[in-house]
Amino acid sequence: MGPTTTKTWATTINLANTILGTGMLAMPGALATVGLLLGSFMIVFSACASGLGLYFLTRSASRTQGRAASFFACSKLTYPWAAVGFDVAIAVKCFGVGISYLIIIGDLMPEVVRSLGMIAFAAAGGDGSGDMDPQLWFLVDRRFWITIFMAIIGPISFLKRLDSLKATSALALGAVVYLVFIVVYYYTYPDQPLPPKEEIRLFHPSAQFFTTLPIFVFAFTCHQNIFSVYNELSDNGQSMLNRIITTSIGSAAVIYHVVAILGYLTFGNIVGSNIIQMYNASLLVTIGRIAIVILVMFSFPLQAHPCRACLDKVLTALVQFWQSRFGKDADYSTLNNEQDDHDDEPSTVTSSTIPNSVQLDEHGEPIQVTSELKYILMTMGILIGSYLIAITVSELELVLSIVGSTGSTAISFILPGSFYYKLHQNDPWTGRKILSVCLAVYGTMVMIICLTANLRRLSHG
């Protein structure tokens, strides 16, 4: 196996790991809300829509200069005036995902403590049903565990380089495989009676559909990483990118189907928004919960990093606006027409494709020197904001719905479709151009309708 093949598989796994996460835990609950058949259709439809968004982003990336593709670069090519808005969308998405990680920690750690207590009590000769000492009540308080883990997550989130956390991809894959094993095992060998078949809803359309749809959108969001894939692959021709996108999205869709369907069939309509919480205490389940907690603990800084970078751009733009003076940016106003849409031509970096007047970071964005004080204040703002929301909101499904109907919808559908259309607005209408408009319109409709439904749900308690 050559280095290119190895790099391709590593990239595919990393992209799949980005997709598979908290959305997987909420998938059985989402399926129960809309019904088995409708939910299965929404998984497939969301996978196709997400894959289409990734495709349009890679097509847009081929118009950027060399291997400097990013949302920033694409926005400068298409809608320079909206670049700040795009950064806001990405920041909201990453901030919301970080909050969902803290909620998962708060949900699972009390269960881990209870499980370990019962297992230890049973090992000492008891019946495994001993009650916890009332003086240790804080050990089963979700706010206590969120606070404790924030003390660990906080220092890591201040790191400016997160290369040391790349090993979490292997841990992420292990946690996903283990969760799938638990779901399959307890469906095959249930420790409680399965729900009657007549209780399983195949098709259940209701007003809740619009509050649940963003969960399916959120589950396939990995678009913030596709530009890194484009920039780093030695062979970034479109056929290679299409294989990576298809493999990553396809494998995630299969795993979501297994977890969603078997999880729903195991618990029926009482399934909650976090499937791993539904299982009775056992050593098998406890290990799975610990694995997921460790996974999300080290994944939080990976969300804080792009959130902080986007927040920095937004704050810088606001300061420049109020001061009525703007610095010189890289010249992104001219399209790289020579690259155009050649499907299988890898992009190469030459001295003529990157301006000498600007330095780009590893994401292809202009490097901005951030003062230490500003860096610390932004990081503290992200940490404190995430913490306050996480200890206040305990519904994982609600957070995923809000994030899915805002940030995820924007970077998965609206931006990819809008970028592609703008770059080809003077070209004849083709099937891809029509699809790009449909994707952007679909994303806009999902954002407006689903966000309104979720805000109404929040206002009515």
Side-chain angles (χ1 to χ4, degrees):
M1 184 178 293
T4 299
T5 305
T6 304
K7 183 70 174 179
T8 301
W9 278 107
T11 301
T12 303
I13 291 174
N14 287 337
L15 197 61
N17 281 340
T18 305
I19 301 171
L20 297 166
T22 53
M24 181 172 57
L25 300 176
M27 198 57 66
L31 206 70
T33 301
V34 301
L36 189 63
L37 293 182
L38 182 56
S40 296
F41 169 77
M42 289 309 304
I43 292 176
V44 175
F45 180 80
S46 298
C48 293
S50 182
L52 188 62
L54 290 170
Y55 171 78
F56 286 140
L57 286 179
T58 57
R59 303 307 301 140
S60 302
S62 67
R63 294 293 191 95
T64 59
Q65 300 167 327
R67 292 178 181 266
S70 66
F71 277 106
F72 180 86
C74 288
S75 66
K76 287 298 182 181
L77 281 172
T78 54
Y79 308 98
W81 52 269
V84 173
F86 298 158
D87 282 322
V88 171
I90 299 171
V92 168
K93 190 269 178 185
C94 295
F95 183 71
V97 174
I99 293 172
S100 72
Y101 290 160
L102 297 180
I103 291 176
I104 290 173
I105 291 174
D107 289 342
L108 294 186
M109 281 309 300
E111 299 296 331
V112 168
V113 171
R114 291 189 185 98
S115 300
L116 293 177
M118 288 189 290
I119 293 172
F121 189 77
D127 60 2
S129 60
D131 295 328
M132 177 168 289
D133 189 336
Q135 294 183 349
L136 301 177
W137 61 269
F138 57 89
L139 292 179
V140 292
D141 189 325
R142 61 183 302 274
R143 293 169 297 181
F144 169 78
W145 287 108
I146 293 175
T147 304
I148 291 297
F149 274 84
M150 281 301 292
I152 303 173
I153 293 171
I156 303 176
S157 299
F158 279 93
L159 294 176
K160 295 184 178 181
R161 298 186 61 86
L162 300 176
D163 296 343
S164 58
L165 296 178
K166 288 182 178 179
T168 56
S169 290
L171 177 62
L173 184 61
V176 168
V177 172
Y178 195 85
L179 177 61
V180 173
F181 170 74
I182 290 176
V183 172
V184 174
Y185 177 84
Y186 279 100
Y187 173 74
T188 308
Y189 305 101
D191 58 357
Q192 57 188 8
L194 296 176
K197 291 184 178 180
E198 56 269 19
E199 290 186 8
I200 301 300
R201 298 181 295 209
L202 298 180
F203 191 77
H204 186 247
S206 66
Q208 287 184 296
F209 173 81
F210 296 107
T211 61
T212 305
L213 175 58
I215 295 178
F216 295 103
V217 175
F218 175 89
F220 288 97
T221 303
C222 61
H223 300 62
Q224 67 272 19
N225 290 342
I226 192 62
F227 289 118
S228 295
V229 172
Y230 178 87
N231 294 335
E232 295 171 7
L233 275 178
S234 56
D235 175 14
N236 63 358
Q238 193 61 44
S239 60
M240 175 63 71
L241 292 168
N242 289 346
R243 284 197 293 270
I244 292 174
I245 292 171
T246 303
T247 303
S248 301
I249 293 290
S251 60
V254 171
I255 292 175
Y256 282 149
H257 265 105
V258 172
V259 173
I261 294 176
L262 296 186
Y264 177 44
L265 294 179
T266 301
F267 297 103
N269 297 320
I270 65 170
V271 65
S273 61
N274 188 340
I275 184 62
I276 196 67
Q277 272 191 292
M278 298 298 299
Y279 297 102
N280 293 327
S282 69
L283 183 60
L284 182 70
V285 174
T286 300
I287 293 175
R289 290 170 175 166
I290 293 174
I292 292 175
V293 166
I294 295 175
L295 163 64
V296 298
M297 176 182 69
F298 286 111
S299 296
F300 183 95
L302 298 178
Q303 298 295 332
H305 194 270
C307 181
R308 180 175 51 230
C310 292
L311 181 61
D312 187 21
K313 292 187 180 67
V314 172
L315 294 176
T316 300
L318 290 176
V319 170
Q320 290 176 341
F321 174 77
W322 286 110
Q323 292 179 345
S324 299
R325 62 180 180 84
F326 298 87
K328 293 182 179 180
D329 292 324
D331 184 10
Y332 288 101
S333 59
T334 303
L335 299 185
N336 186 9
N337 291 322
E338 294 181 0
Q339 182 70 19
D340 202 22
D341 275 346
H342 302 301
D343 283 349
D344 293 316
E345 283 190 18
S347 175
T348 57
V349 180
T350 66
S351 59
S352 62
T353 58
I354 298 181
N356 294 326
S357 59
V358 64
Q359 289 182 312
L360 304 177
D361 63 14
E362 66 272 18
H363 301 295
E365 302 189 7
I367 295 177
Q368 297 178 352
V369 179
T370 303
S371 68
E372 286 296 323
L373 177 60
K374 182 180 179 183
Y375 184 90
I376 292 173
L377 290 177
M378 288 190 300
T379 306
M380 290 182 62
I382 294 171
L383 292 173
I384 294 173
S386 301
Y387 172 76
L388 292 177
I389 296 177
I391 63 173
T392 304
V393 179
S394 59
E395 295 182 55
L396 177 63
E397 180 183 5
L398 177 60
V399 173
L400 298 187
S401 296
I402 297 295
V403 176
S405 56
T406 52
S408 293
T409 302
I411 69 175
S412 298
F413 306 141
I414 300 176
L415 298 188
S418 300
F419 285 161
Y420 187 87
Y421 169 76
K422 185 66 174 180
L423 292 171
H424 296 82
Q425 64 177 346
N426 297 324
D427 298 338
W429 283 92
T430 62
R432 286 184 290 188
K433 188 174 180 180
I434 294 173
L435 282 175
S436 69
V437 175
C438 292
L439 187 67
V441 172
Y442 168 70
T444 303
M445 292 176 60
V446 169
M447 175 178 288
I448 295 174
I449 297 174
C450 295
L451 181 59
T452 301
N454 278 293
L455 291 177
R456 289 185 60 185
R457 169 191 172 188
L458 190 62
S459 63
H460 288 82

